[in-house]
Amino acid sequence: MKLFSFLEANATLYELAMQGLSLNYRLVRRILREEGFFAPRMKFLDVGCGTGVFRNFLRGEDYLGVDINPQYLAHARRRRGDCFLQASVLELSRLSRQSDRILCIGLFHHLNDEEVGRALTECSACLTPHGEIFILDALWPETGNPIGRFLRQSDNGAFIRRFEAWRALFESGLAVRQLRVVRQWPFDYVFVRGGAKPHCGSGSLNSTSECPGRQSQDGSGERRADGNRTGD
């Protein structure tokens, strides 16, 4: 059994692991502040919310957290109130809720490429006209970081990608406004901020349309398009 599979089997252990091992919430909050995420009078949707830790940073705001794991949601409701629902990112539009800010932390590396495309379409359909999606996810580390590679191999997500693979997926499904690498040893992450892609179909990965307002910022110098986890 993988290390993170063991930890994720229990809601309390999962929350401790997320806060103390796999995700630096101070770093996440700093990035989101820099990107204007914490704007007043917004409706927030936290997709793949887990045990709802991010609710701690959005108290008093119009917040809804969704996840597919009923154990995590029960834990979230006990600790953080009745603002959590069971829902899949692949069927998000069933919520009939339009949000100004959609947050997805550590979600997409659990989805294959086709599912990522569907998830981005579903998220886009739940945005208000000027709403934005903020994503932070696992990035396959560069050569020279054996500890990071070991920990990523211990992750329960089967689709940890390199930067160029993430870029292709996000630029296919979103009007990308910011795309960059975030490094916090021993982990590397990909961060993206974007909106619904205008006039570009359903977000299919096969779309070759170019949309206005797209900007990308790498910062990593990495240009490999191979998204596989192994065979480095």
Side-chain angles (χ1 to χ4, degrees):
M1 176 183 289
K2 291 184 177 181
L3 171 63
F4 283 89
S5 296
F6 170 76
L7 295 173
E8 291 174 6
N10 178 278
T12 301
L13 290 178
Y14 166 78
E15 183 167 312
L16 291 173
M18 286 291 290
Q19 295 189 70
L21 180 59
S22 67
L23 194 61
N24 184 329
Y25 277 98
R26 183 177 298 177
L27 172 69
V28 176
R29 291 172 69 190
R30 176 175 62 79
I31 294 169
L32 293 176
R33 279 197 301 269
E34 293 171 353
E35 295 292 336
F37 176 82
F38 296 102
R41 297 180 296 278
M42 294 286 180
K43 295 179 70 174
F44 295 88
L45 179 61
D46 186 359
V47 184
C49 66
T51 55
V53 172
F54 227 83
R55 174 59 170 165
N56 296 347
F57 314 128
L58 291 167
R59 298 235 177 239
E61 302 293 342
D62 187 344
Y63 168 96
L64 176 65
V66 299
D67 202 280
I68 61 171
N69 189 313
Q71 182 185 1
Y72 291 175
L73 292 171
H75 181 95
R77 293 184 186 112
R78 285 195 301 269
R79 299 196 61 180
R80 299 178 174 100
D82 192 23
C83 52
F84 300 93
L85 293 175
Q86 186 170 1
S88 167
V89 67
L90 302 179
E91 298 178 339
L92 205 58
S93 55
R94 293 187 179 185
L95 293 176
S96 299
R97 173 189 170 98
Q98 301 297 114
S99 298
D100 303 291
R101 298 283 188 266
I102 294 180
L103 180 65
C104 303
I105 296 180
L107 172 63
F108 288 94
H109 73 284
H110 294 278
L111 306 178
N112 63 36
D113 288 2
E114 180 184 0
E115 290 170 334
V116 170
R118 288 172 54 197
L120 293 174
T121 298
E122 288 289 306
C123 287
S124 295
C126 293
L127 287 173
T128 59
H130 300 289
E132 292 186 298
I133 302 168
F134 297 74
I135 298 168
L136 187 75
D137 220 305
L139 182 66
W140 187 246
E142 295 179 344
T143 303
N145 184 0
I147 295 177
R149 289 183 171 226
F150 168 77
L151 290 171
R152 288 305 190 202
Q153 287 173 333
S154 301
D155 196 288
N156 206 27
F159 302 98
I160 299 177
R161 301 168 174 91
R162 292 182 174 84
F163 183 83
E164 289 299 335
W166 282 122
R167 181 201 291 271
L169 289 168
F170 291 140
E171 291 191 342
S172 178
L174 294 175
V176 174
R177 291 157 191 162
Q178 179 67 267
L179 176 64
R180 59 189 171 99
V181 173
V182 176
R183 291 192 171 90
Q184 180 73 29
W185 192 90
F187 293 112
D188 293 344
Y189 305 93
V190 60
F191 171 78
V192 64
R193 171 187 177 185
K197 198 168 187 178
H199 313 303
C200 288
S202 63
S204 166
L205 296 179
N206 294 322
S207 173
T208 58
S209 302
E210 293 294 332
C211 294
R214 288 195 348 198
Q215 276 190 317
S216 298
Q217 180 176 331
D218 180 350
S220 70
E222 197 170 297
R223 287 292 182 271
R224 295 177 62 183
D226 177 9
N228 295 327
R229 286 167 46 96
T230 58
D232 303 333

